[in-house]
Amino acid sequence: RSQIRETLTYELRKEQLDAIEQTRKYTENTPDGEFLWNAKPRFGKTLATYDLACQMNAQKVLIVTNRPAIANSWFDDFEKFIAWQTDYAFVSESESLKDRPVLTRDQFLDQRAHGKKRMIAFMSLQDLKGSVYFGGTHDKHDWITADKYDGRKDKYDWFKETPWDLLVIDEAHEGVDTHKTDYNKKKIKRKFTLYL
């Protein structure tokens, strides 16, 4: 399933390059740290974030947001600028992307031997907050069974179990300072967190 819509190139502006360079240097000295980009509208945070992930050589990137609808803008930039020139696949089961050529976790694993090896996953904070695996009441995120990994037949919560190289919290000013969100963030294993 191709995720390439166009093969466009991009050139980052000075402020984007500066943000990427400062963050990259910070990750080298503070590997488990957190960093905030106070990005104004039209900053170009999606392409700058993708570029940072490439420079960090991040194998597994998780993007979460309080606005599920912006999944489309993340995927639009991915289809045009990133998919054709990187080894990343875009993985999501966000309802707002249901008619787009995104991969499920199963599809990503199935194609890895002869396809994309690295993953950018997208999830809404609402989904994380509601999941039983993150303290909620809904049986969500059971897209893959554990037998793919260790022979067990129960459901496997891969968001919680995956060691993410980079966690990106988009629209960080919207509802990320709540007790429930803090609880969910602590459940996500990651090396570094970028707030946008």
Side-chain angles (χ1 to χ4, degrees):
R1 191 170 192 191
S2 177
Q3 296 186 323
I4 300 170
R5 185 172 69 185
E6 297 177 60
T7 56
L8 302 178
T9 58
Y10 62 92
E11 188 172 327
L12 296 173
R13 296 184 309 278
K14 182 181 184 319
E15 63 268 22
Q16 292 170 303
L17 292 169
D18 289 345
I20 292 166
E21 183 63 14
Q22 288 175 21
T23 309
R24 193 185 55 71
K25 284 182 179 175
Y26 185 77
T27 64
E28 291 170 0
N29 298 320
T30 317
D32 295 324
E34 299 179 336
F35 205 89
L36 169 67
W37 286 356
N38 188 13
K40 305 296 184 208
R42 312 311 312 158
F43 174 78
K45 63 186 176 185
T46 57
L47 287 178
T49 300
Y50 288 145
D51 204 88
L52 173 66
C54 290
Q55 289 195 34
M56 290 175 63
N57 196 27
Q59 302 297 303
K60 293 173 283 238
V61 179
L62 175 61
I63 302 165
V64 296
T65 182
N66 253 332
R67 288 193 203 175
I70 68 166
N72 281 291
S73 64
W74 281 95
F75 190 63
D76 286 345
D77 280 354
F78 182 83
E79 277 187 310
K80 294 179 204 171
F81 300 101
I82 307 302
W84 70 274
Q85 61 180 337
T86 70
D87 200 23
Y88 283 113
F90 198 99
V91 176
S92 182
E93 292 225 355
S94 175
E95 190 65 23
S96 58
L97 292 170
K98 67 180 180 182
D99 297 323
R100 309 288 299 272
V102 297
L103 300 180
T104 65
R105 173 69 171 170
D106 279 335
Q107 291 168 333
F108 172 72
L109 291 176
D110 288 345
Q111 65 83 55
R112 262 179 53 180
H114 305 289
K116 301 286 187 163
K117 307 278 192 282
R118 298 190 290 169
M119 169 180 45
I120 293 173
F122 184 93
M123 175 57 55
S124 77
L125 281 170
Q126 288 91 332
D127 282 344
L128 286 180
K129 290 174 186 176
S131 169
V132 294
Y133 304 103
F134 288 88
T137 58
H138 303 290
D139 187 13
K140 300 179 179 184
H141 316 306
D142 54 355
W143 307 343
I144 187 163
T145 57
D147 61 346
K148 294 253 184 182
Y149 294 95
D150 60 9
R152 292 180 296 133
K153 298 298 181 193
D154 57 324
K155 295 295 183 182
Y156 192 78
D157 177 39
W158 66 275
F159 278 110
K160 187 176 171 184
E161 298 302 322
T162 299
W164 300 98
D165 296 308
L166 176 61
L167 170 64
V168 179
I169 311 268
D170 194 11
E171 304 295 343
H173 59 287
E174 295 181 352
V176 298
D177 288 330
T178 66
H179 173 70
K180 195 176 257 190
T181 301
D182 282 343
Y183 174 80
N184 289 322
K185 282 193 302 185
K186 287 177 185 171
K187 293 273 192 178
I188 298 172
K189 300 173 187 173
R190 80 277 195 180
K191 293 180 181 173
F192 193 80
T193 306
L194 175 66
Y195 294 92
L196 304 174

